[in-house]
Amino acid sequence: MFSGLPLFPEQASSFAADVDALYFFIIAVSAFFASLIAILVLIFAVKYRRRHDQEVGAPIEGSLPLELAWSLIPTVIAMVMFAWGAQVYYDLRRPPAEAHQIYAVGKQWMWKFQHLEGPREINELHVPTGRPVKITVTSEDVIHSLYFPSFRTKIDAIPGRYTTLWFEPTKPGRYHIFCAEYCGTMHSGMIGTVVVMEPAQYQAWLSGGAGEGTLAEQGARLFQDLSCNTCHLETAQGRGPSLKDIMGKPVQLTTGESVMVDEVYLRESILNSQAKIVAGYTPLMPTFQGLISEEGLVALIEYIRTLSPQAATAPAAAPAPPVEAPAPAPQGDRN
Amino acid sequence: MLDTLKLPERHYLNNGHGLKSWLLTKDHKRIAILYLISISAFFFLGGLFAVGIRLELTTPQGDFFQPDTYNKMFTLHGVIMVFFFLIPSIPAVLGNFLIPPMIGAKDLAFPRINLLSWYIYVLGGLFALFAILVGGVDTGWTFYTPYSSAASNTNVIPTALGVFIAGFSSILTGLNFIVTIHRMRAPGMTWFKLPLFVWAHYATSLIQVLGTPVVAITIIMVFVERAFGFGIFDPQRGGDPVLFQHLFWFYSHPAVYIMILPAMGVISELISTFSRKKVFGYSFVAFSSLAIAVFGFIVWAHHMFVAGISVYAAMVFSFLSFSVAIPSAVKTFNWTATLYKGSLTFEAPMLYVYGFLGLFLVGGLTGLFLATLGVDVHVHDTYFVVAHFHYIMVGGAIMGYLGGLHFWWPKIVGRMYSEFLSRISAILVFVGFNLTFFPQFVLGYMGMPRRYHMYPDEFQVLNVMSSAGAAVLGLGYLLPVIYFLWSLKHGEVAGPNPWGASGLEWRTASPPPTENFAEVPTDIPEAYEYTPHVVREAKLV
């Protein structure tokens, strides 16, 4: 009857089948309990309807075995759901180390995507099949949420923070991108299309759009434009610490604490340079809050990452590696 | 026999006439009526916004309203329904009216504070109405920062202050109930003789007293950030936007139980009366209310599974969210078992009970999908969530409220309404509700996000079904207004106990005298005592 009425979005990522299987399991459990109760109350409605005015119900107080049964059995079933759901979630939230990195910035009311290889996109995202893609997400203004229904995943884009999501597209095609967190007037217009391509086509697409150089090259230019390079020298002789070989390693602060150098720390140190000073240096650096865009920040971070070559391990196995080696997932993901 | 019934000569409704006798009353029953009138007004105002929403969503394009107008409509629908209708609904109307007679008391412990809480509620409501009149607010009822504190240019402050003020009304009502239930019970009315309605209100009151201050503080934080530029939630000023969500849901998740627990209390009363049987497993039903109230406080972060919280925190909150499902399941099984070997009749209140069971079952079971981490990531912030919480808040809480209103209406006004129309209305509400909200589960799994003014074409069929259902539902809600008003003058006189129910409140006249009982009841029976003797007595009073 409803042949034209779809009930599920396309399954276009490696998670989609896992999430749907779990969904069907819970539907089956729910249908069982719903039918059980529905059938019982309807049978009772007929069987025990009042036959005469003076009739009263049977004097039944309760039953401890029954109470235990209908507390414990649902508890056990709920724990199965919990464990299964937690396992799917764990996979959803942990990008593999070799995932292909893309940055996304939400802003009222558009999604901006930045590929390491250089291309930038607005409300459209091209990704290849057959390889995990990790998106690091932030927002320029209010909270948004980057949602790919056909991949069964989403993550909030939170101003001032990086969050991540990942997926492995399995089926070429064009699918929805939505903003799932209400963000103002044109919230429902903050939508786009994710274009899943065969790896070869994706490579062709990438090479067609890299006019401004790779993201790290853009970051290198910005590093000079903002005069970062006057203090952050390659050697430790500069007024600021050297940025060579720092990514993914702990660094000692003036307070005696040490922090892991990752995107979050770099971002904070650029925007709020007084927050965490590396031991042995004086707080000379101006704050860049308001002077640098979210895209500029990710370009700088990518540039700084290239200064730590051993942290940027070999590119993902399949297929033809892009120009730039994809960065590994930072350890100690703060999300 | 009914022909011989007459209204009592003296009762709380004719004890004093004129506006002043109402506005300065300290009688819990009259205060309940004041609440009934004011929350009904807010219910229909909130409903009007829902009409606008469903109208707009009949087509994929945004062709009826401007985006900002649409955003204000769903915000005001949520703010009004949650804070000015659902939270006060059953406690402030039915709880206020019934708790004293149910426990054999003359009034609540603090009659003046009770009246004060109504005035506070009205003041809060006036702030909300003011916000609407000067242009509305568009943050969503959840007021998420930094949108609400730094980005929105609508009337966030008056609306938030309205919610803040109304919260104190809720706190005072809860406080009043707790003290009343502890201190005002008639001699012999022990805790385990209390109707389950009272237990449910006790649990609800605990949440109101403990939870509401947190949302009040949170609102003040939004206020100082928005008005004076303090950096609490706005990252541009060094704040943390996710902190707001922790604070907001610490109250607003338990707030769901403020809405549903009293409805569960109503269902226990009704199901027992219309099956003339004790509620199965009384103490399990009573303690499950307390368990829900306690567990309700430790599940808040399940609203934040995709807000970048740690994977392990998410697992803890998922686990705890499942734990709150168990006491709800226990209640449902106990209600079902109550029907077994009962003596069942199906007047309107019982039809609402059946409607409640069906809708609460769907609402509760779909909560499992949302507690399950792997599924929640996909359906979070979609229409699946919208459908789920409407099944709980509207399907559960409003079915309980309407069922209770139909059940106690003869007690409140002393007269019966049209049996035929009330059954029609109960059926319309059930059918209309399912048609409105069931398609939204499918829409949500399809991926349609909530709070969308426009949507892709493939979602249209389900949205049209939903809007059609809303029309039926609206009719179901309007009908009772007609026959309830009609009953005030023309309804058959009900007599003290038209349903042959066992509670203490049915031992006094309908409507009751101002002091509830001519003399304080002393022979307190077990709760839900139905014997042929009791039934005969009840009918013959």
Side-chain angles (χ1 to χ4, degrees):
Chain A
M1 179 165 79
F2 293 114
S3 55
L5 183 65
L7 298 176
F8 308 96
E10 290 259 23
Q11 292 185 338
S13 77
S14 55
F15 297 129
D18 298 346
V19 173
D20 289 355
L22 180 53
Y23 179 63
F24 286 123
F25 168 69
I26 307 176
I27 287 181
V29 172
S30 301
F32 170 76
F33 281 103
S35 328
L36 177 73
I37 300 283
I39 290 169
L40 284 176
V41 299
L42 291 177
I43 289 177
F44 294 164
V46 176
K47 193 164 175 203
Y48 302 118
R49 68 185 183 280
R50 190 168 301 163
R51 312 282 168 155
H52 62 88
D53 242 15
Q54 306 288 310
E55 188 186 65
V56 296
I60 302 172
E61 297 278 337
S63 151
L64 186 61
L66 270 178
E67 299 288 348
L68 288 176
W70 63 47
S71 311
L72 295 178
I73 295 171
T75 304
V76 171
I77 296 172
M79 287 308 102
V80 173
M81 285 181 199
F82 160 72
W84 189 349
Q87 186 239 318
V88 170
Y89 181 79
Y90 190 84
D91 294 343
L92 273 163
R93 305 291 306 117
R94 292 275 147 164
E98 77 281 6
H100 176 61
Q101 170 78 51
I102 292 174
Y103 285 95
V105 178
K107 115 179 211 79
Q108 291 174 320
W109 289 275
M110 63 175 80
W111 289 109
K112 298 187 282 190
F113 297 99
Q114 173 74 62
H115 295 258
L116 293 190
E117 298 81 357
R120 289 183 199 186
E121 306 184 72
I122 287 179
N123 291 344
E124 196 166 58
L125 173 64
H126 289 75
V127 288
T129 54
R131 112 181 235 208
V133 173
K134 173 190 167 196
I135 307 187
T136 299
V137 189
T138 189
S139 163
E140 269 182 30
D141 36 48
V142 299
I143 299 178
H144 305 277
S145 189
L146 181 60
Y147 179 28
F148 300 96
S150 299
F151 300 159
R152 308 288 188 275
T153 189
K154 68 165 71 70
I155 193 74
D156 286 0
I158 302 170
R161 281 198 196 185
Y162 289 124
T163 53
T164 57
L165 100 175
W166 79 279
F167 48 81
E168 184 176 323
T170 51
K171 190 170 161 190
R174 298 170 64 84
Y175 309 103
H176 289 300
I177 300 173
F178 291 133
C179 175
E181 184 63 67
Y182 173 67
C183 58
T185 308
M186 287 306 296
H187 169 53
S188 65
M190 194 167 162
I191 61 177
T193 305
V194 56
V195 183
V196 177
M197 309 173 97
E198 298 287 359
Q201 284 173 294
Y202 178 68
Q203 281 311 314
W205 177 84
L206 268 186
S207 48
E212 298 173 73
T214 66
L215 186 57
E217 285 161 12
Q218 295 169 30
R221 280 201 298 278
L222 199 55
F223 196 74
Q224 297 202 343
D225 293 347
L226 295 171
S227 305
C228 311
N229 56 346
T230 55
C231 300
H232 295 287
L233 306 180
E234 288 219 10
T235 61
Q237 316 304 316
R239 277 174 288 177
S242 162
L243 303 180
K244 217 166 147 40
D245 287 328
I246 57 166
M247 203 66 178
K249 292 183 188 159
V251 62
Q252 185 85 23
L253 303 182
T254 48
T255 56
E257 290 172 278
S258 81
V259 307
M260 183 65 75
V261 177
D262 57 11
E263 293 100 329
V264 175
Y265 170 71
L266 290 177
R267 177 199 168 86
E268 181 185 33
S269 298
I270 298 168
L271 293 181
N272 182 12
S273 44
Q274 313 297 313
K276 295 191 177 101
I277 305 291
V278 175
Y281 291 88
T282 41
L284 290 173
M285 180 167 152
T287 152
F288 284 83
Q289 180 85 52
L291 299 176
I292 181 166
S293 67
E294 291 293 343
E295 290 97 323
L297 276 170
V298 299
L300 278 178
I301 289 169
E302 277 312 308
Y303 168 65
I304 293 167
R305 197 195 302 281
T306 60
L307 301 178
S308 306
Q310 85 291 4
T313 46
V323 200
E324 188 70 36
Q331 299 305 302
D333 191 339
R334 285 208 350 192
N335 303 318
Chain B
M1 182 180 75
L2 285 173
D3 312 330
T4 63
L5 287 171
K6 284 201 312 248
L7 286 186
E9 270 176 36
R10 203 177 57 76
H11 53 80
Y12 79 102
L13 289 169
N14 65 12
N15 180 15
H17 295 277
L19 200 58
K20 202 176 145 197
S21 77
W22 283 89
L23 294 181
L24 296 179
T25 184
K26 285 174 303 222
D27 180 355
H28 66 101
K29 298 181 289 302
R30 287 190 160 212
I31 295 169
I33 301 286
L34 293 176
Y35 266 115
L36 175 64
I37 295 166
S38 27
I39 72 160
S40 300
F42 276 107
F43 175 72
F44 284 101
L45 180 61
L48 207 58
F49 290 117
V51 170
I53 294 168
R54 286 315 326 164
L55 186 65
E56 176 61 73
L57 294 178
T58 51
T59 64
Q61 309 79 28
D63 33 19
F64 288 94
F65 301 102
Q66 292 299 312
D68 282 328
T69 313
Y70 179 81
N71 295 343
K72 286 173 185 171
M73 286 195 305
F74 73 68
T75 301
L76 290 166
H77 170 70
V79 168
I80 287 172
M81 288 302 200
V82 170
F83 297 108
F84 296 100
F85 174 71
L86 281 165
I87 288 179
S89 63
I90 298 179
V93 178
L94 298 176
N96 230 333
F97 196 101
L98 294 161
I99 289 175
M102 279 182 166
I103 64 173
K106 280 185 179 169
D107 205 318
L108 289 176
F110 307 112
R112 282 192 181 81
I113 289 180
N114 196 20
L115 181 64
L116 176 66
S117 81
W118 179 72
Y119 277 102
I120 293 174
Y121 166 82
V122 169
L123 183 66
L126 289 176
F127 269 81
L129 290 176
F130 169 78
I132 294 171
L133 288 176
V134 296
V137 60
D138 76 339
T139 58
W141 77 274
T142 47
F143 298 104
Y144 268 23
T145 56
Y147 186 74
S148 64
S149 61
S152 171
N153 52 14
T154 58
N155 302 286
V156 179
I157 289 179
T159 316
L161 285 180
V163 172
F164 174 78
I165 293 167
F168 286 93
S169 153
S170 187
I171 295 172
L172 291 179
T173 301
L175 197 65
N176 218 336
F177 285 177
I178 291 174
V179 177
T180 303
I181 295 167
H182 272 279
R183 305 294 305 162
M184 307 283 285
R185 284 173 286 125
M189 178 56 92
T190 57
W191 282 90
F192 290 97
K193 286 182 176 178
L194 287 174
L196 290 163
F197 179 88
V198 177
W199 274 98
H201 275 77
Y202 187 80
T204 307
S205 302
L206 290 177
I207 305 176
Q208 288 176 300
V209 170
L210 297 175
T212 319
V214 178
V215 81
I217 293 163
T218 314
I219 291 170
I220 290 300
M221 287 173 164
V222 171
F223 173 77
V224 297
E225 177 159 301
R226 196 173 161 91
F228 307 120
F230 282 45
I232 302 169
F233 304 121
D234 180 7
Q236 296 287 337
R237 298 174 218 165
D240 180 350
V242 180
L243 174 65
F244 172 85
Q245 298 179 24
H246 282 289
L247 293 170
F248 180 80
W249 289 116
F250 185 81
Y251 165 75
S252 295
H253 191 80
V256 175
Y257 302 110
I258 297 179
M259 306 171 203
I260 192 70
L261 278 171
M264 292 167 155
V266 169
I267 296 306
S268 294
E269 299 304 307
L270 269 54
I271 212 163
S272 150
T273 302
F274 291 93
S275 39
R276 285 197 183 152
K277 192 160 163 285
K278 266 200 167 98
V279 173
F280 192 90
Y282 172 98
S283 54
F284 287 90
V285 178
F287 282 111
S288 64
S289 288
L290 291 180
I292 289 172
V294 172
F295 283 126
F297 274 108
I298 48 175
V299 300
W300 76 89
H302 67 212
H303 296 270
M304 302 166 61
F305 287 157
V306 299
I309 62 172
S310 100
V311 171
Y312 302 103
M315 287 181 187
V316 170
F317 279 100
S318 168
F319 182 86
L320 292 169
S321 301
F322 279 108
S323 70
V324 84
I326 304 302
S328 304
V330 166
K331 277 184 193 284
T332 308
F333 287 120
N334 277 294
W335 288 323
T336 307
T338 303
L339 298 171
Y340 173 71
K341 291 199 172 175
S343 166
L344 276 55
T345 53
F346 290 89
E347 287 89 354
M350 188 62 152
L351 292 183
Y352 275 104
V353 169
Y354 266 62
F356 173 96
L357 284 177
L359 302 184
F360 180 69
L361 201 57
V362 175
L365 289 167
T366 51
L368 299 175
F369 293 76
L370 298 169
T372 304
L373 286 164
V375 175
D376 181 73
V377 171
H378 173 54
V379 293
H380 193 91
D381 270 327
T382 68
Y383 264 86
F384 193 96
V385 175
V386 175
H388 160 72
F389 73 69
H390 279 88
Y391 265 84
I392 295 291
M393 293 183 187
V394 187
I398 298 190
M399 291 301 269
Y401 173 66
L402 285 178
L405 210 52
H406 282 84
F407 180 56
W408 284 292
W409 189 256
K411 179 56 60 185
I412 294 170
V413 305
R415 291 177 186 274
M416 297 301 289
Y417 44 83
S418 157
E419 181 58 39
F420 174 73
L421 286 180
S422 61
R423 289 188 196 199
I424 297 287
S425 140
I427 292 166
L428 282 180
V429 167
F430 182 76
V431 172
F433 181 88
N434 281 301
L435 191 53
T436 309
F437 292 104
F438 203 86
Q440 296 185 3
F441 285 120
V442 183
L443 275 174
Y445 204 78
M446 288 286 296
M448 179 168 167
R450 62 193 289 201
R451 298 171 171 173
Y452 262 32
H453 172 229
M454 302 173 291
Y455 55 81
D457 293 345
E458 71 256 34
F459 299 144
Q460 188 175 10
V461 176
L462 289 161
N463 269 299
V464 169
M465 284 166 74
S466 181
S467 294
V472 178
L473 184 59
L475 198 63
Y477 285 147
L478 282 173
L479 214 48
V481 179
I482 297 167
Y483 59 73
F484 278 154
L485 288 177
W486 176 88
S487 75
L488 293 178
K489 281 256 183 279
H490 311 285
E492 261 182 80
V493 173
N497 191 359
W499 313 113
S502 77
L504 276 192
E505 78 273 25
W506 299 103
R507 286 209 204 163
T508 185
S510 307
T514 299
E515 66 280 10
N516 291 339
F517 297 97
E519 49 198 278
V520 177
T522 46
D523 55 330
I524 311 288
E526 295 292 320
Y528 314 116
E529 192 72 26
Y530 286 98
T531 60
H533 172 71
V534 168
V535 170
R536 258 195 314 280
E537 289 280 291
K539 286 284 183 186
L540 291 174
V541 170

